[in-house]
Amino acid sequence: MPTTDAAGSRAPGTAAPAERCPGCRSALVVHERFPTWCPSCEWNLLPPEPAAEHRTPRQQRRAERAERREEALRRDVRARSEQVFKLVSEGGSDLQDGTTAAAYALAGVVHLVSLTLLLLGLGLVAGLLLPGWPGRIVGVILLAVAFQLRPRLGRPARDGVLTRAAAPTLYELVDRICEAVGAPKVDSIAVDGEWNASFGVLGLRRHRQLTIGMPLWTVLSPQQRVALLAHEVGHCVNGDHRRGLWTGSALNTLVEWYRLTVPDRTRLQEGPVGLIVTIAYALANRVLWVLNRAVRRLVLLMNRLWLRSGQAAEYRADLLSVRLTSVADTRGMLTALLHRPTFETVLHRQRTVPRRRPAAGRPAAPDLWQSLAEAVRTVPPLETERRLRVAGRLDSAVDSSHPPTHLRLRMLTAVPAEQHRHPVVLDSGRSALVEAELAGRRERIAVDLL
Ligand SMILES: [Zn+2]
Ligand SMILES: [Zn+2]
């Protein structure tokens, strides 16, 4: 019977025996590098769970309960995602509904709590509310907490930033895309080692930074790169409120609340302590646990309130990509996002094989980028399909900011294409210039990754 890595055990060159799906008896296609699964009945779609370490019955029950809760959440998010898909594909424009207003209000409550803590702390330290030193000590503690909870506006990355002078062709391309989608120009472009790309408006000065992940960029064709950039800068014009000053910083503060209230389970294992300390400790942990649960609920609620407008914004950004390139290019770009596992495999392989000594004058790095491009190019369609379905199945309930990829792909064709007025073309000449401008970063990132 085939297992998840059926291939490894078979001697190279031997023909695969005609394997049949144990679920529905249809013929299976076996591919050496990838798990065998059945597209008809989804047998073996998800790799088998690793055997759990020994658990007491109580731990077992708790784990099962947690798993059920998680699954219920996923189901809920899936149902809502389908709903948003339906609304957007039917041209629903009225997506600024009550939930968006509620999200703003919730953000307001979060900021109000921070402000109250700050004022209380100041009042206590100044001795206005409670005379004497105990009040002042409490005040200092409150100020420290208020400082932790301050609105965080993010900070533009300094590492890996390309200046306009160093990458004129890339900036010119991004400027053209910004103009085509009606967005203001970006202030800086950073290049990092992520399987991703992102856009942020950061800091008090609201610095507009575009970040390009070199690994993802490497496996895209020139027009898919344009589609990727169009999606990212499209976030400025697609009515995405999650990134706003008011709500974005509130969400960051909530995450900070969550971090601050995680109960500490380590202390008591360190050694014998007095009874009173033990009791106080258990009590404090209990209070933290309750707070932590409550904050988790708030984060989930915030995500739930954002889901509709956030996912609709993502679809709009994808449709901007289509407008500037084509359905095929945008589809190619979205599909590439699924291949992070291939990137991780290539990285792992390159890190573990004994490194060949770089020949004199030749950098060791290009190996990584060539292997990566080759590995992604040779992922068979059946494996791409598997990854697509797995993503749909396991989409995290907590980060539902992006619609599942299969829905994003479906949306590309569900909405009647507008006239392609001015598709932005990255011709081979300019593409080569951009690559030359990125060469330095490419090498640096390869060294950092390996
Ligand atoms: Zn089957
Ligand atoms: Zn996006």
Side-chain angles (χ1 to χ4, degrees), residues 231-232 235 243 314 317 402 408:
H231 175 100
E232 292 311 329
H235 274 296
R243 296 155 191 249
E314 293 297 336
H402 281 69
R408 290 173 75 184

Side-chain angles (χ1 to χ4, degrees), residues 21 23-26 38 40-43:
C21 166
C24 70
R25 310 303 304 157
S26 47
C38 173
S40 322
C41 72
E42 302 201 334
W43 168 82

Side-chain angles (χ1 to χ4, degrees), residues 342-356:
T342 300
F343 167 51
E344 279 158 8
T345 309
V346 170
L347 259 191
H348 182 73
R349 219 169 38 214
Q350 295 249 335
R351 279 178 188 153
T352 46
V353 292
R355 197 76 54 81
R356 270 179 290 138

Side-chain angles (χ1 to χ4, degrees), residues 9 27-28 54 68 88 214 223 267 274 287 350 353 365 422 446-447:
S9 53
L28 290 175
H54 183 70
R68 272 201 301 277
V88 176
M214 186 52 95
Q223 280 315 98
R267 260 287 299 282
V287 172
Q350 295 249 335
V353 292
H422 298 292
V447 170

Side-chain angles (χ1 to χ4, degrees), residues 175-193:
D175 287 348
R176 251 165 72 211
I177 293 172
C178 287
E179 199 192 306
V181 304
K185 286 185 180 176
V186 302
D187 292 314
S188 67
I189 301 176
V191 184
D192 66 13

